[in-house]
């Protein structure tokens, strides 16, 4: 019997392999993981070609690594980029980050977490002083009220959703704030059918009422927070009717919600992409976190602002330092941090400035781009533009376990990596639990784990001694020592060999703000209506999201028949009234058009979505031909949930 952990989503469910079966409390995706390993779309050999017009030919690892290393040597470091993924294990992240930021003087290393969690990272850092999730899943059992904002746990975090359903039986009240009456909303005590982009007004209205009705925690505010005076002055000036209008929620419904809110002792507000993926993703986070700060509902059991991470190891990537906006182990680019990292890595080449984000890399005419376990052409917004831009990059390297990503047709070199189940290493789930993925099946001999691929590249570039690692345990042990550079990170206490039996939860002792003055920061934010506007030509608003049984583009899950039976992949959801006005029939094929492109999808007509809003799941591989590439100014996260579109029957 082998103990491991599911590699799909941020819940990080434990599982065991017994008699060739996966056993554990798993959702359909997790339970079907066994079926995806040796599918026909596996990448089995290193492949190379001189230009994207040619066919690939097989090559040796040595030839491929040598070609990449030569290229890197000839590339100015501001023209080099590493594009990583929340699917990577922490050891993979560590080696890639050490190589890029520590030895190649290349600050351009970022991850696809940029497109999902970056707004939460910035929100946490600004308000509580660090990218730190200040509560854990068991807190749900101690809460009286759980608000889920822009979070469809029933489809995106299935086993966590079961925890919520169970807690409901013990009295937990659930409020879902979402323009769709999602599967999650169906278990809610109150569903708030908010207007797309109404979130800041919604959370500001909670704060405004708490302040005006003297329901905030005065002593906590006085002793533990900065910025209350300014927040109060700004909120008082706002007109409640106008705020309600911006949310699209009736006064009666908001009153009902607020009665529940003010009588709930312990409150958790959880959110995901509905808030983060926005032109004001950071502002949305801050307005949400404000409600917890002024009511003192943070760092107390059963309370807190809970960002629900989507990918299995987006958190680990953030901890290691895989975002270009941090250096390593949550350290920034200040002189002291850079000096510490230089000493730890024994390198004078450590970068001292923020690099390009994943959402900027294709825009700047890079010479070399190394992409690992992710599919930027599929997931970045405004796909047609990116398809043009990527063709200008001299060398595109794709490291992937699978051969059919949307990006692979633009690659010059493809390197076969080991997927979940064939490699070992650690990942951190959405509540800071570090667990170990185990080798469950015989690994494909010609493929390698990512940390090893990056080590091969480092050695070829001349850093033999610094990248002399023989196992993921070796890498983890160096990484965990590095976390000592950052006072609050106690990952150094984790024992790699014990992680399968006893996952390690870091930060358990942190019960206070991590700002220099140990105080939380309040920021007043308001809706600045920056997103693309609807017009006579594009009258509807597109929002996007996951479906229960598919993982992103479905590279893995599309291969599992059982999952495909559950839900169609290329559909769009439209309100009954809108469908009637446009004379669209159930299941009819329709062209969806935005200013940037068009796709075809089948209509799913429903009352479970606000009028004027259309939902396309991200399992539709073409969805980003439509989406707007406007970014949040601080997190550089795309505005995936506010695209003006029109529909044409075909
Ligand atoms: Fe895997 Fe997430 Fe499902 Fe758990 S909820 S089994 S981690 S996909």
């Amino acid at each position: 019997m082998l103990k491991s952990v599911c590699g799909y989503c941020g819940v990080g469910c434990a599982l065991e392999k017994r008699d060739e079966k996966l056993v554990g409390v798993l959702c359909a995706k997790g339970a079907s993981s066994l079926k995806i390993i040796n599918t026909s779309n596996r990448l089995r050999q290193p492949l190379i070609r001189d230009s994207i017009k040619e066919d690939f030919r097989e090559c040796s690892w040595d030839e491929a690594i040598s070609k990449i290393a030569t290229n890197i040597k000839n590339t100015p470091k501001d023209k080099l980029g590493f594009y990583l993924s929340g699917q990577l294990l922490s050891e993979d992240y560590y080696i890639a980050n050490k190589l890029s930021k520590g030895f190649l003087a290349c600050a351009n290393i970022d991850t696809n977490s940029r497109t999902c969690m970056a707004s939460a990272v910035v929100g946490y850092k600004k308000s509580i002083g660090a990218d730190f999730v200040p509560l854990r899943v068991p807190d749900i059992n101690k809460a009286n009220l759980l608000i889920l904002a822009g979070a469809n746990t029933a489809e995106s975090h299935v086993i966590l959703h079961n925890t919520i359903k169970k807690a409901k039986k013990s009295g937990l009240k659930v409020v879902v704030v979402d323009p769709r009456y999602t599967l999650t909303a169906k278990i809610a005590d109150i569903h708030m059918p908010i207007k797309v982009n109404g979130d800041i007004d919604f959370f500001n209205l909670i704060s405004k009422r708490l302040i005006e009705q003297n329901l905030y925690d005065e002593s906590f505010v006085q002793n533990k927070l900065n910025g209350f005076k300014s927040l109060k002055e700004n909120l008082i000036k706002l007109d409640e009717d106008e705020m309600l209008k911006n949310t699209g929620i009736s006064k009666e419904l908001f009153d009902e919600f607020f009665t529940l809110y003010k009588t709930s002792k312990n409150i958790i507000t959880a959110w995901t992409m509905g808030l983060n993926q926005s032109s004001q993703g950071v502002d949305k986070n801050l307005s949400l976190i404000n409600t917890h700060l002024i009511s003192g509902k943070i760092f107390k059991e059963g309370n807190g602002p809970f960002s629900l991470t989507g990918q299995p190891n987006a958190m680990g990537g953030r901890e290691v330092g895989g975002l270009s906006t941090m250096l390593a182990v949550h350290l920034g680019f200040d002189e002291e941090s850079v000096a510490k990292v230089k000493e730890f890595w024994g390198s004078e080449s450590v970068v001292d400035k923020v690099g390009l984000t994943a959402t900027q890399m294709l825009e700047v005419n890079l010479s070399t781009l190394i992409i690992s376990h992710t599919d930027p052409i599929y997931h970045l917004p405004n796909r047609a533009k990116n398809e043009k831009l990527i063709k200008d990059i001299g060398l595109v390297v794709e490291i992937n376990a699978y051969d059919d990503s949307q990006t692979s047709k633009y690659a010059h070199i493809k390197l076969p990596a080991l997927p979940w189940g064939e490699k070992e290493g650690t990942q951190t789930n959405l509540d800071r639990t570090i667990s170990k993925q185990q080798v469950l099946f015989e690994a494909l001999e010609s493929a390698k784990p990512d940390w090893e691929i990056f080590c091969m590249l480092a050695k070829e570039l001349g850093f033999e001694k610094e990248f002399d690692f023989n196992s993921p345990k070796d890498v983890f042990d160096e990484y965990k020592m590095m976390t000592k550079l950052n006072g609050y990170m106690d990952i150094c206490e984790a024992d790699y060999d014990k992680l399968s039996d006893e996952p390690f939860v870091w930060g358990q002792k942190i019960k206070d703000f991590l700002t220099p003055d140990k105080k939380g920061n309040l920021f007043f934010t308001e809706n600045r209506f920056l997103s693309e506007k609807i017009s006579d030509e594009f009258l509807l608003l597109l929002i996007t999201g996951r479906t229960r049984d598919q993982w992103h583009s479905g590279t893995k899950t599309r291969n599992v028949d059982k999952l495909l039976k559950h839900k169609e992949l290329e559909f769009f959801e439209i309100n009954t009234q809108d469908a009637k006005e446009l004379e669209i029939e159930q299941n009819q094929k329709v062209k969806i058009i935005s200013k940037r492109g068009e796709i075809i999808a089948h209509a799913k007509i429903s009352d479970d979505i606000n009028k004027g809003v259309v939902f396309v799941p991200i399992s539709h591989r073409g969805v980003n031909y439509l989406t707007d590439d406007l970014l949040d100014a601080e997190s550089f996260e795309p505005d995936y949930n506010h695209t003006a579109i029109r529909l044409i029957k075909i």
Side-chain angles (χ1 to χ4, degrees), residues 556-572:
K556 294 192 270 190
T557 45
R558 274 173 195 255
N559 292 313
V560 183
D561 292 348
K562 213 170 123 205
L563 296 185
L564 287 177
K565 273 183 208 144
H566 289 158
K567 229 168 203 180
E568 201 192 343
L569 302 174
E570 279 96 26
F571 70 92
F572 70 98

Side-chain angles (χ1 to χ4, degrees), residues 6 8-9 11-13 25-27 29-30 157-159:
C6 176
Y8 273 116
C9 88
V11 182
C13 298
V25 182
L26 304 166
C27 71
K29 283 193 292 278
H157 298 90
V158 180
I159 301 301

